[in-house]
mmCIF file of all heavy atoms in Angstrom:
data_model
loop_
_atom_site.group_PDB
_atom_site.id
_atom_site.type_symbol
_atom_site.label_atom_id
_atom_site.label_comp_id
_atom_site.label_asym_id
_atom_site.label_seq_id
_atom_site.Cartn_x
_atom_site.Cartn_y
_atom_site.Cartn_z
ATOM 1 N N ALA A 331 -18.477 -34.263 -47.276
ATOM 2 C CA ALA A 331 -19.603 -33.817 -48.103
ATOM 3 C C ALA A 331 -20.191 -32.543 -47.519
ATOM 4 O O ALA A 331 -20.486 -32.472 -46.333
ATOM 5 C CB ALA A 331 -20.666 -34.909 -48.170
ATOM 6 N N ASN A 332 -20.347 -31.533 -48.359
ATOM 7 C CA ASN A 332 -20.749 -30.218 -47.872
ATOM 8 C C ASN A 332 -21.954 -29.717 -48.664
ATOM 9 O O ASN A 332 -23.008 -30.340 -48.632
ATOM 10 C CB ASN A 332 -19.542 -29.274 -47.948
ATOM 11 C CG ASN A 332 -19.625 -28.115 -46.984
ATOM 12 O OD1 ASN A 332 -20.700 -27.616 -46.692
ATOM 13 N ND2 ASN A 332 -18.485 -27.673 -46.493
ATOM 14 N N GLY A 333 -21.822 -28.634 -49.411
ATOM 15 C CA GLY A 333 -22.962 -28.113 -50.148
ATOM 16 C C GLY A 333 -23.440 -29.080 -51.217
ATOM 17 O O GLY A 333 -22.671 -29.894 -51.735
ATOM 18 N N LEU A 334 -24.734 -28.993 -51.546
ATOM 19 C CA LEU A 334 -25.273 -29.820 -52.630
ATOM 20 C C LEU A 334 -26.325 -29.052 -53.391
ATOM 21 O O LEU A 334 -27.000 -28.174 -52.834
ATOM 22 C CB LEU A 334 -25.824 -31.143 -52.116
ATOM 23 C CG LEU A 334 -27.200 -31.206 -51.461
ATOM 24 C CD1 LEU A 334 -27.655 -32.649 -51.339
ATOM 25 C CD2 LEU A 334 -27.198 -30.567 -50.082
ATOM 26 N N LEU A 335 -26.452 -29.389 -54.669
ATOM 27 C CA LEU A 335 -27.393 -28.689 -55.536
ATOM 28 C C LEU A 335 -27.991 -29.684 -56.522
ATOM 29 O O LEU A 335 -27.359 -30.053 -57.512
ATOM 30 C CB LEU A 335 -26.674 -27.566 -56.296
ATOM 31 C CG LEU A 335 -27.575 -26.577 -57.023
ATOM 32 C CD1 LEU A 335 -28.403 -25.761 -56.026
ATOM 33 C CD2 LEU A 335 -26.729 -25.633 -57.865
ATOM 34 N N PRO A 336 -29.215 -30.173 -56.255
ATOM 35 C CA PRO A 336 -29.881 -31.062 -57.210
ATOM 36 C C PRO A 336 -30.510 -30.274 -58.350
ATOM 37 O O PRO A 336 -31.007 -29.167 -58.152
ATOM 38 C CB PRO A 336 -30.949 -31.752 -56.354
ATOM 39 C CG PRO A 336 -31.229 -30.780 -55.254
ATOM 40 C CD PRO A 336 -29.984 -29.989 -55.025
ATOM 41 N N ASP A 337 -30.463 -30.849 -59.537
ATOM 42 C CA ASP A 337 -31.075 -30.255 -60.723
ATOM 43 C C ASP A 337 -31.818 -31.365 -61.471
ATOM 44 O O ASP A 337 -31.308 -31.938 -62.439
ATOM 45 C CB ASP A 337 -29.988 -29.629 -61.604
ATOM 46 C CG ASP A 337 -30.561 -28.912 -62.823
ATOM 47 O OD1 ASP A 337 -31.803 -28.873 -62.960
ATOM 48 O OD2 ASP A 337 -29.766 -28.413 -63.637
ATOM 49 N N PRO A 338 -33.042 -31.707 -61.006
ATOM 50 C CA PRO A 338 -33.778 -32.822 -61.614
ATOM 51 C C PRO A 338 -34.042 -32.640 -63.104
ATOM 52 O O PRO A 338 -34.078 -33.623 -63.851
ATOM 53 C CB PRO A 338 -35.082 -32.858 -60.814
ATOM 54 C CG PRO A 338 -34.749 -32.225 -59.504
ATOM 55 C CD PRO A 338 -33.746 -31.152 -59.833
ATOM 56 N N SER A 339 -34.202 -31.405 -63.556
ATOM 57 C CA SER A 339 -34.509 -31.176 -64.967
ATOM 58 C C SER A 339 -33.355 -31.596 -65.871
ATOM 59 O O SER A 339 -33.566 -31.883 -67.061
ATOM 60 C CB SER A 339 -34.848 -29.703 -65.203
ATOM 61 O OG SER A 339 -33.731 -28.873 -64.942
ATOM 62 N N HIS A 340 -32.147 -31.633 -65.336
ATOM 63 C CA HIS A 340 -30.984 -32.075 -66.101
ATOM 64 C C HIS A 340 -30.404 -33.377 -65.541
ATOM 65 O O HIS A 340 -29.278 -33.747 -65.890
ATOM 66 C CB HIS A 340 -29.903 -30.993 -66.115
ATOM 67 C CG HIS A 340 -30.276 -29.770 -66.884
ATOM 68 N ND1 HIS A 340 -30.908 -28.684 -66.295
ATOM 69 C CD2 HIS A 340 -30.146 -29.462 -68.203
ATOM 70 C CE1 HIS A 340 -31.119 -27.751 -67.206
ATOM 71 N NE2 HIS A 340 -30.666 -28.194 -68.371
ATOM 72 N N ASP A 341 -31.179 -34.063 -64.684
ATOM 73 C CA ASP A 341 -30.749 -35.343 -64.112
ATOM 74 C C ASP A 341 -29.357 -35.211 -63.485
ATOM 75 O O ASP A 341 -28.467 -36.035 -63.707
ATOM 76 C CB ASP A 341 -30.747 -36.434 -65.178
ATOM 77 C CG ASP A 341 -30.560 -37.830 -64.575
ATOM 78 O OD1 ASP A 341 -30.945 -38.027 -63.410
ATOM 79 O OD2 ASP A 341 -30.001 -38.704 -65.269
ATOM 80 N N ARG A 342 -29.193 -34.165 -62.658
ATOM 81 C CA ARG A 342 -27.860 -33.869 -62.154
ATOM 82 C C ARG A 342 -27.906 -33.531 -60.666
ATOM 83 O O ARG A 342 -28.827 -32.871 -60.188
ATOM 84 C CB ARG A 342 -27.270 -32.691 -62.935
ATOM 85 C CG ARG A 342 -25.831 -32.336 -62.600
ATOM 86 C CD ARG A 342 -25.279 -31.393 -63.656
ATOM 87 N NE ARG A 342 -26.060 -30.161 -63.746
ATOM 88 C CZ ARG A 342 -26.222 -29.446 -64.845
ATOM 89 N NH1 ARG A 342 -25.673 -29.858 -65.982
ATOM 90 N NH2 ARG A 342 -26.927 -28.341 -64.829
ATOM 91 N N LEU A 343 -26.910 -33.996 -59.953
ATOM 92 C CA LEU A 343 -26.723 -33.646 -58.545
ATOM 93 C C LEU A 343 -25.264 -33.271 -58.346
ATOM 94 O O LEU A 343 -24.368 -34.085 -58.587
ATOM 95 C CB LEU A 343 -27.084 -34.826 -57.635
ATOM 96 C CG LEU A 343 -26.705 -34.668 -56.154
ATOM 97 C CD1 LEU A 343 -27.472 -33.513 -55.520
ATOM 98 C CD2 LEU A 343 -26.934 -35.966 -55.390
ATOM 99 N N THR A 344 -25.037 -32.039 -57.914
ATOM 100 C CA THR A 344 -23.679 -31.554 -57.673
ATOM 101 C C THR A 344 -23.437 -31.507 -56.173
ATOM 102 O O THR A 344 -24.233 -30.935 -55.427
ATOM 103 C CB THR A 344 -23.471 -30.169 -58.287
ATOM 104 O OG1 THR A 344 -23.809 -30.205 -59.680
ATOM 105 C CG2 THR A 344 -22.032 -29.713 -58.140
ATOM 106 N N VAL A 345 -22.322 -32.100 -55.748
ATOM 107 C CA VAL A 345 -21.972 -32.192 -54.323
ATOM 108 C C VAL A 345 -20.575 -31.621 -54.121
ATOM 109 O O VAL A 345 -19.641 -31.943 -54.872
ATOM 110 C CB VAL A 345 -22.014 -33.655 -53.833
ATOM 111 C CG1 VAL A 345 -21.664 -33.733 -52.355
ATOM 112 C CG2 VAL A 345 -23.382 -34.268 -54.093
ATOM 113 N N ALA A 346 -20.420 -30.791 -53.116
ATOM 114 C CA ALA A 346 -19.118 -30.238 -52.753
ATOM 115 C C ALA A 346 -18.389 -31.224 -51.844
ATOM 116 O O ALA A 346 -18.886 -31.564 -50.768
ATOM 117 C CB ALA A 346 -19.292 -28.905 -52.043
ATOM 118 N N ALA A 347 -17.222 -31.677 -52.294
ATOM 119 C CA ALA A 347 -16.353 -32.529 -51.477
ATOM 120 C C ALA A 347 -15.214 -31.647 -50.976
ATOM 121 O O ALA A 347 -14.202 -31.465 -51.661
ATOM 122 C CB ALA A 347 -15.831 -33.703 -52.291
ATOM 123 N N THR A 348 -15.372 -31.107 -49.783
ATOM 124 C CA THR A 348 -14.482 -30.046 -49.314
ATOM 125 C C THR A 348 -13.039 -30.514 -49.209
ATOM 126 O O THR A 348 -12.119 -29.843 -49.690
ATOM 127 C CB THR A 348 -14.975 -29.514 -47.958
ATOM 128 O OG1 THR A 348 -16.333 -29.061 -48.100
ATOM 129 C CG2 THR A 348 -14.117 -28.347 -47.483
ATOM 130 N N ARG A 349 -12.820 -31.657 -48.581
ATOM 131 C CA ARG A 349 -11.440 -32.103 -48.356
ATOM 132 C C ARG A 349 -10.790 -32.677 -49.620
ATOM 133 O O ARG A 349 -9.569 -32.789 -49.685
ATOM 134 C CB ARG A 349 -11.383 -33.107 -47.211
ATOM 135 C CG ARG A 349 -11.678 -32.450 -45.864
ATOM 136 C CD ARG A 349 -11.267 -33.279 -44.679
ATOM 137 N NE ARG A 349 -11.287 -32.485 -43.469
ATOM 138 C CZ ARG A 349 -10.265 -31.742 -43.043
ATOM 139 N NH1 ARG A 349 -9.142 -31.720 -43.720
ATOM 140 N NH2 ARG A 349 -10.368 -31.033 -41.943
ATOM 141 N N GLU A 350 -11.591 -33.012 -50.601
ATOM 142 C CA GLU A 350 -11.035 -33.467 -51.878
ATOM 143 C C GLU A 350 -10.774 -32.299 -52.833
ATOM 144 O O GLU A 350 -10.146 -32.485 -53.882
ATOM 145 C CB GLU A 350 -11.980 -34.463 -52.538
ATOM 146 C CG GLU A 350 -12.240 -35.723 -51.726
ATOM 147 C CD GLU A 350 -13.169 -36.675 -52.446
ATOM 148 O OE1 GLU A 350 -12.875 -37.020 -53.606
ATOM 149 O OE2 GLU A 350 -14.195 -37.059 -51.849
#
Side-chain angles (χ1 to χ4, degrees):
N332 204 327
L334 79 167
L335 192 66
D337 184 2
S339 64
H340 292 91
D341 191 28
R342 185 167 59 210
L343 170 64
T344 305
V345 181
T348 303
R349 291 196 167 273
E350 299 181 54

